[in-house]
Amino acid sequence: MFNKILIGRFIPGHSLVHRLDARVKLIVSIAFIFVIFLATSWPSYLWASAFTLLVVMMTGLGLRVYLRGIRPLIYLMLFTTALQILFVTTGPIWWQWGWLKITEDGVVNGIAIFIRFLLIILISTVLTLTTAPLDLADAMEQLLQPLKKIGVPVAELALMLSIALRFIPTLLDEAEKIVNAQRARGVRFNEGNLLQRVKAFVPVLIPLFINAIKRAIELGDAMEARGYRGDVERTKYRQHHWQINDTVALLSFIIFSCALAWLRYIFG
Amino acid sequence: MEKIIEIKNLTYAYPNQTKAALQNLSLTVNRGAWVALIGHNGSGKSTLAKLLNHLLTPSDGQILIDQIPVDDEHVDVIRNRVGMVFQNPDNQFVGATVADDVAFGLENRQMPHAQMQERVQMVLEEVHMWEFAEREPAHLSGGQKQRVAIASALAIEPQILILDEATAMLDPKGRFEMMEEVRQLKADLGPDLTVISITHDIDEAASADQVIVLNDGQLVETGTPDEIFTDAQKLQALGLDVPFAEQLKAKLAARGVAVPTQYETMEGMAEWIWQLISKK
């Protein structure tokens, strides 16, 4: 029942993209969301799509994996595209029915939005498919370091995140055990209407929460016993070394972005 | 013998409870000893363990570890001397991988990275878990997780290792392997490591150097296993088991066999039975 829930969707591998520092991948993925707005003409969309496809191919993971990543968002994409098509009303009219009209500008805008959306999803899927959740948490901690100066407890947040990630499988196991225990006592989880099904889960959630709190208390003791005290600086066992590949990847992205800006300048 | 732990008139009551979990407890433990702490559920064993590491603060009385008082002021020094392994293998696994978990205590002590790597490898090799260094806890058995917990405790090179019912949630095989691991460590470190094992396993307690019996928060008695375990009736009255060798002796005596009167370990009993058979 619970093993269907994929966590993080990380697929281990040895491709160039897998081996990149999580910080590079995180920076590029976030920057891409903004940079993509420089694309306004067909040549620039072509250029952005080529870049994205190249990155996707370099991960060495089949296209099918990516399609699975897109599927949950497809309705959102279609909805946004439909809104653009229906509500951009400038340009030559192609079709009209009452106050509804589809115009050339609307269709062009709609397709543009669809492509942008698709590319952003593909790039962020690359990030989550090729980066272990823990490395991603470390990367976030390092990129958020500057916030320490304004009093954000970055190290504590990162430790919380890594402990949360570490306990996901433990809690899923426990949930499964509780479900089985309830089933053995005659509870039926997959029958009845939605309300009944939701209700059947209440006796699963309560013991799960109580146990989670118990675990947290014991974990707190274990952490203190090993000398943890939130108020002092800690050294890090896990270290990430910025390599030549990482610099090359970042430079490639900067070149890509400059080219995109140049295309905008030429084609408007 | 040098004393490593001195407990003087220790009393502890949990907040909002009138009855003290530990009452006026006084005892000493010698450096390098293997001490078994026994008593039925709720006798105050785990409370005592937590007091030794200053996870709890005594209501009254004093604890000295290596001549250092256990209090707020010395808490860091104390926790460098006392390593703990708890009962639940999952709830003490802090790191995302085996190596991260062992490193947690070292990170807390701001150990430089190079030294940390060396130390992590060393202790993981000691408990035969180095090949699992990159594994996540979800892919380890309970026994393996507990061995990691031992490694994590040992990483800070403590003088005292407290096992708080550390084998209680393991299957017999995991329990056996874990205790073998601790015995091996104890044999290697000798007087540099004092082991305090809180246990329900009376056969394990029978092989300790010193046994402490607690009941309802009070010290019943403390002594060598042969002093404690020969009084089977008293142990049973406290709701405790009697070691297998003693049970065997009682059953043989009931059948009219003349059994040795002094305390015997399992090996001692086996030896004695061999002698008995060969005499016939």
Side-chain angles (χ1 to χ4, degrees), chain A:
Chain A
M1 173 168 237
F2 290 99
N3 50 21
K4 282 186 209 144
I5 306 170
L6 282 177
I7 307 132
R9 301 185 301 165
F10 168 60
I11 302 176
H14 299 284
S15 76
L16 194 63
V17 184
H18 277 92
R19 281 181 281 127
L20 284 180
D21 195 296
R23 282 169 291 184
V24 183
K25 289 189 265 187
L26 191 60
I27 294 171
V28 167
S29 304
I30 295 171
F32 189 84
I33 298 171
F34 298 100
V35 169
I36 194 72
F37 282 96
L38 288 172
T40 45
S41 60
W42 296 120
S44 55
Y45 279 118
L46 201 65
W47 171 242
S49 307
F51 173 81
T52 309
L53 271 179
L54 183 72
V55 175
V56 166
M57 307 267 272
M58 275 165 58
T59 61
L61 303 166
L63 270 179
R64 199 180 299 161
V65 190
Y66 287 93
L67 289 180
R68 238 187 290 153
I70 296 167
R71 204 182 297 152
L73 292 163
I74 195 80
Y75 292 107
L76 184 64
M77 286 163 74
L78 290 176
F79 180 69
T80 322
T81 310
L83 278 187
Q84 284 293 324
I85 291 176
L86 291 174
F87 293 105
V88 175
T89 51
T90 54
I93 296 169
W94 285 3
W95 180 82
Q96 189 163 19
W97 185 72
W99 56 271
L100 270 181
K101 53 185 160 187
I102 292 178
T103 64
E104 190 179 302
D105 286 5
V107 172
V108 169
N109 262 325
I111 294 172
I113 290 278
F114 186 83
I115 294 174
R116 267 184 209 162
F117 228 126
L118 187 69
L119 296 184
I120 290 173
I121 292 171
L122 281 174
I123 287 289
S124 43
T125 310
V126 167
L127 175 73
T128 53
L129 284 177
T130 63
T131 318
L134 194 64
D135 290 333
L136 208 50
D138 281 345
M140 281 182 202
E141 177 181 6
Q142 285 172 349
L143 295 177
L144 292 176
Q145 283 305 319
L147 291 184
K148 248 186 195 168
K149 292 211 179 86
I150 57 163
V152 179
V154 176
E156 282 87 339
L157 288 173
L159 184 65
M160 276 162 63
L161 189 60
S162 99
I163 289 174
L165 285 171
R166 174 248 165 287
F167 270 93
I168 288 171
T170 311
L171 292 179
L172 281 180
D173 265 0
E174 185 150 288
E176 190 150 8
K177 256 183 221 155
I178 297 169
V179 164
N180 285 337
Q182 306 276 23
R183 265 203 197 130
R185 287 162 178 75
V187 180
R188 297 185 174 178
F189 289 100
N190 40 15
E191 276 177 31
N193 60 34
L194 190 68
L195 190 68
Q196 283 168 325
R197 286 188 195 198
V198 171
K199 267 188 180 165
F201 268 95
V202 174
V204 173
L205 290 179
I206 291 172
L208 193 63
F209 275 128
I210 292 173
N211 279 339
I213 291 167
K214 236 182 86 186
R215 280 181 194 281
I217 294 170
E218 285 184 24
L219 188 72
D221 272 346
M223 286 169 68
E224 266 195 75
R226 288 203 241 152
Y228 181 76
R229 25 180 314 177
D231 55 349
V232 288
E233 193 77 17
R234 307 171 67 235
T235 47
K236 296 276 295 177
Y237 174 70
R238 217 163 244 287
Q239 297 210 327
H240 301 271
H241 300 285
W242 190 274
Q243 277 159 341
I244 187 82
N245 276 346
D246 300 310
T247 314
V248 171
L250 201 58
L251 281 178
S252 313
F253 179 71
I254 292 171
I255 293 168
F256 158 78
S257 309
C258 292
L260 206 60
W262 179 71
L263 285 172
R264 185 189 174 113
Y265 176 71
I266 295 180
F267 294 99

Side-chain angles (χ1 to χ4, degrees), chain B residues 27-28 34-36 38 205-206 208-213 219-229:
Chain B
L27 54 86
T28 57
W34 181 304
V35 181
I38 60 173
D209 302 318
Q210 181 188 354
V211 179
I212 298 169
V213 187
L219 180 70
V220 179
E221 55 184 334
T222 173
T224 55
D226 51 313
E227 286 164 359
I228 304 284
F229 290 122

Side-chain angles (χ1 to χ4, degrees), chain B residues 174-195:
Chain B
R175 190 172 304 174
F176 176 78
E177 284 172 1
M178 182 173 167
M179 286 325 291
E180 277 307 295
E181 209 71 74
V182 181
R183 282 203 187 93
Q184 191 58 52
L185 283 169
K186 178 74 185 87
D188 291 347
L189 292 167
D192 293 334
L193 187 71
T194 307
V195 176

Side-chain angles (χ1 to χ4, degrees), chain B residues 69-119:
Chain B
V70 178
D71 54 25
D72 287 336
E73 195 187 327
H74 299 95
V75 62
D76 290 342
V77 197
I78 293 297
R79 286 182 185 157
N80 283 338
R81 281 175 170 67
V82 184
M84 274 184 97
V85 179
F86 295 89
Q87 181 174 14
N88 191 313
D90 266 313
N91 298 356
Q92 54 185 317
F93 207 111
V94 189
T97 68
V98 168
D100 282 297
D101 190 56
V102 176
F104 181 76
L106 306 173
E107 292 174 325
N108 290 337
R109 290 167 176 81
Q110 295 141 47
M111 185 183 271
H113 186 255
Q115 201 187 343
M116 192 145 58
Q117 264 183 322
E118 224 170 82
R119 185 74 67 82

